[in-house]
């Protein structure tokens, strides 16, 4: 679906396109998380990444369910935003020498990812409701809450230990 092809005509089309965008993003996140887990030194942070990898795998299945409810086959469209966020995360984390500072960098990068997802799932939930798809909205809202909880967890780890150790 190209930028100039005008394939998106209705809110329904836009909903499906955005679902394809987040489906691609979740796959990229699934690929990036093991590396972040590997790089993390703080045991709580390592554990948080591990937990969210499991959740991400579940979310991919849930998004597939939403495609199904909408009468579409799961399909990915490239999300330049998540590619940029992950590229930046890989750049910065390979440039940080100190392990404790690296943990702070990992949290910042991971929170950028979660914030992108919170943004997208918030929009998708609202559009699903608008389109009269309460079934899809409930699933998307469930994922949204999981992304928000992850953000809160990361914030907690940063404030309770990682930032202090990094300073
Ligand atoms: Fe996710
Ligand atoms: Fe995107
Ligand atoms: Fe997430």
């Amino acid at each position: 679906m190209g930028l100039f092809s005008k394939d998106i005509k209705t809110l329904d089309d836009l909903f499906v396109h955005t679902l394809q965008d987040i489906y691609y993003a979740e796959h990229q996140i699934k690929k990036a998380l093991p590396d972040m887990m590997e790089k993390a030194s703080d045991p709580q942070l390592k554990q948080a990444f591990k937990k969210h990898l499991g959740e991400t795998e579940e979310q991919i299945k849930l998004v597939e369910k939403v495609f199904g409810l909408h009468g579409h086959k799961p399909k990915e469209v490239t999300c330049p935003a998540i590619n940029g966020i992950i590229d930046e995360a890989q750049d910065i984390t390979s440039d940080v020498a100190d392990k404790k500072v690296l943990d702070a960098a990992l949290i910042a990068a991971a929170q950028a990812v979660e914030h992108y997802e919170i943004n997208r799932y918030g929009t998708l939930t609202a559009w699903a409701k608008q389109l009269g798809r309460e079934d899809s909205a409930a699933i998307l809202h469930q994922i949204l809450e999981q992304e928000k909880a992850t953000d809160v967890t990361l914030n907690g780890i940063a404030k309770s230990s990682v930032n202090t150790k990094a300073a």
Side-chain angles (χ1 to χ4, degrees), residues 26-122:
E26 290 290 8
H27 281 97
Q28 298 311 114
I29 295 162
K30 185 185 152 186
K31 277 189 226 163
L33 273 170
D35 181 53
M36 296 176 78
M37 213 167 87
E38 189 76 22
K39 283 178 176 166
S41 304
D42 184 281
Q44 260 186 296
L45 183 57
K46 231 184 225 304
Q47 182 54 36
F49 284 148
K50 192 179 172 193
K51 183 181 175 213
H52 202 50
L53 177 59
E55 288 173 343
T56 299
E57 283 161 357
E58 288 307 307
Q59 290 170 357
I60 288 173
K61 288 182 200 144
L62 289 172
V63 172
E64 286 168 356
K65 219 164 136 183
V66 176
F67 273 113
L69 288 169
H70 228 77
H72 283 261
K73 282 207 176 86
K75 187 189 147 193
E76 297 179 35
V77 293
T78 304
C79 169
I82 204 71
N83 284 347
I85 291 169
I86 292 173
D87 279 354
E88 191 177 11
Q90 282 162 352
D91 280 355
I92 188 79
T93 54
S94 53
D95 281 350
V96 178
D98 185 287
K99 282 269 175 204
K100 285 169 182 149
V101 178
L102 177 58
D103 276 352
L106 285 167
I107 292 183
Q111 284 192 284
V113 171
E114 294 317 308
H115 285 207
Y116 178 74
E117 295 184 283
I118 289 166
N119 179 306
R120 283 295 179 253
Y121 284 113

Side-chain angles (χ1 to χ4, degrees), residues 131-144:
L131 292 165
R133 300 303 314 233
E134 288 298 331
D135 46 0
S136 296
I139 296 170
L140 293 162
H141 185 258
Q142 181 191 336
I143 303 176
L144 173 64

